[in-house]
C-alpha cells in the first residue's frame, strides 16, 4: 500500500490505482449500473454454471433448523432464497452496501412471497451494524473481492459470528490448469466486456469485474487471511478448476 499524500492511501479498482476513500464509491457505481441486469448477466457470463457453484455452496453450508444467517453482498437475494429453500425456519439478514441491488432482491422476495423470514439491510461489510456473536452463519458470494479492506471484512465476519459459527465464502479464484487459464483469460478479457456492453449497456463495469477477479488473492493466500482473522478449520474447495473457490471456516 503506497501513499498519495500525508494521510491518503491507495488501493486497486480493477487494474487502476485509486485512493482508498474512492473505491467504495466506484464499486457502488458499478453495481448501480448493472443491478437490473445482474442475474441475467450472471447466466450469460457463466453459461449458467454460477447456479451450480451456488448449489455447491449451500450443500456445504447445509443449513437446517432455526439458524440466523447473515448473507453479505447478497442484495439480489440469490443465496438467501436458497438458504430458505433448504431451511425454511431459518432467518436471513441480507446485507449489501448497494441500495439498488437490495431493491432488486426485495422486489424478487415480494414476487415470491418470501418477505417473512428475510431482513434487508444496507450495510458496509467492513462495518456491520450487528451485535457481537449474533449469527450462526456468515455467507458471502462474489462480493468480498469488491471490499476495500478485505482484512477488515473478515474481522467483522469473525466478530458477528457466535462461537462455533460458520464462515463460508464463494468467490472467483485462480485457475490451476495453464491451458484452462489461457482460455479463461481470452474469454474474460475479450468477450465478457462485449457481452456487458450489449446486454447491460455497460462494458466498463464488466471490464472492472474481470480485472477485480485477477487482483483477488489466490486460494492459499485468501485462506491465510481467513486464518489471520482468527478463524480455524479453514478449508478450500475449487470449483470448475479454480475459476471459483469455496472457503469455509469456523469461529472456535
Amino acid at each position: 500500500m503506497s501513499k498519495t499524500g500525508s494521510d491518503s492511501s491507495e488501493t486497486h479498482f480493477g487494474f487502476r490505482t485509486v485512493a482508498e476513500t474512492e473505491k467504495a464509491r466506484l464499486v457502488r457505481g458499478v453495481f448501480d449500473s448493472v443491478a437490473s441486469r445482474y442475474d441475467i448477466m450472471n447466466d450469460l457470463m457463466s453459461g449458467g454454471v454460477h447456479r451450480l457453484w451456488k448449489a455447491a455452496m449451500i450443500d456445504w453450508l447445509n443449513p437446517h433448523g432455526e439458524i440466523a444467517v447473515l448473507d453479505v453482498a447478497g442484495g439480489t437475494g440469490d443465496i438467501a432464497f436458497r438458504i430458505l429453500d433448504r431451511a425454511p425456519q431459518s432467518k436471513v439478514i441480507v446485507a449489501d452496501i448497494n441500495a439498488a441491488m437490495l431493491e432488486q432482491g426485495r422486489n424478487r422476495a415480494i414476487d415470491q412471497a418470501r418477505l417473512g423470514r428475510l431482513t434487508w439491510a444496507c450495510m458496509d461489510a467492513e462495518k456491520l451494524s450487528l451485535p457481537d456473536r449474533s449469527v450462526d452463519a456468515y455467507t458471502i458470494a462474489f462480493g468480498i473481492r469488491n471490499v476495500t479492506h478485505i482484512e477488515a471484512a473478515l474481522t467483522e465476519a469473525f466478530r458477528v459470528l457466535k462461537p462455533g459459527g460458520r464462515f463460508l465464502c464463494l468467490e472467483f479464484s485462480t485457475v490451476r490448469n495453464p491451458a484452462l487459464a489461457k482460455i479463461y483469460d481470452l474469454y474474460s478479457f475479450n468477450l465478457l466486456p462485449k457481452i456487458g456492453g450489449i446486454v447491460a449497456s455497460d462494458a466498463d463495469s464488466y471490464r472492472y469485474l474481470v480485472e477485480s477477479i485477477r487482483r483477488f488473492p489466490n486460494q492459499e493466500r485468501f485462506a491465510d487471511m481467513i486464518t489471520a482473522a482468527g478463524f480455524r478449520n479453514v478449508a478450500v474447495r475449487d470449483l470448475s478448476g479454480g475459476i471459483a473457490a469455496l472457503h469455509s471456516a469456523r469461529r472456535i
Side-chain angles (χ1 to χ4, degrees), residues 106-148:
R106 279 195 298 266
N107 289 341
R108 289 178 64 196
I110 291 169
D111 291 342
Q112 298 178 28
R114 291 181 180 269
L115 286 177
R117 307 196 72 80
L118 290 167
T119 301
W120 304 84
C122 196
M123 278 194 269
D124 185 340
E126 297 183 29
K127 300 175 183 177
L128 297 172
S129 53
L130 290 176
D132 296 354
R133 304 183 179 193
S134 56
V135 296
D136 300 293
Y138 174 115
T139 57
I140 183 167
F142 303 120
I144 203 161
R145 75 181 188 282
N146 296 310
V147 173
T148 303

Side-chain angles (χ1 to χ4, degrees), residues 38-39 42 50-59 61 63 69-87 90 92-94 105 108 114 118 120 138-143 168-170 246:
Y38 186 75
D39 291 322
N42 279 345
H50 77 101
R51 297 176 182 272
L52 301 178
W53 296 338
K54 291 170 182 175
M57 181 183 193
I58 301 304
D59 285 344
L61 179 64
V69 182
L70 173 64
D71 182 42
V72 176
T76 63
D78 208 12
I79 298 300
F81 297 165
R82 290 168 184 267
I83 291 169
L84 289 175
D85 286 342
R86 187 71 64 88
S90 61
V92 185
I93 301 168
V94 182
R108 289 178 64 196
R114 291 181 180 269
L118 290 167
W120 304 84
Y138 174 115
T139 57
I140 183 167
F142 303 120
L168 191 58
C169 175
L170 171 61
L246 284 164

Side-chain angles (χ1 to χ4, degrees), residues 127-185:
K127 300 175 183 177
L128 297 172
S129 53
L130 290 176
D132 296 354
R133 304 183 179 193
S134 56
V135 296
D136 300 293
Y138 174 115
T139 57
I140 183 167
F142 303 120
I144 203 161
R145 75 181 188 282
N146 296 310
V147 173
T148 303
H149 305 99
I150 295 172
E151 295 89 346
L154 292 171
T155 297
E156 278 291 271
F158 186 87
R159 179 184 68 79
V160 300
L161 278 168
K162 298 174 184 177
R166 181 82 176 278
F167 169 87
L168 191 58
C169 175
L170 171 61
E171 187 54 86
F172 290 108
S173 198
T174 301
V175 177
R176 307 286 194 172
N177 181 282
L180 177 59
K182 185 174 181 179
I183 295 169
Y184 181 49
D185 280 347

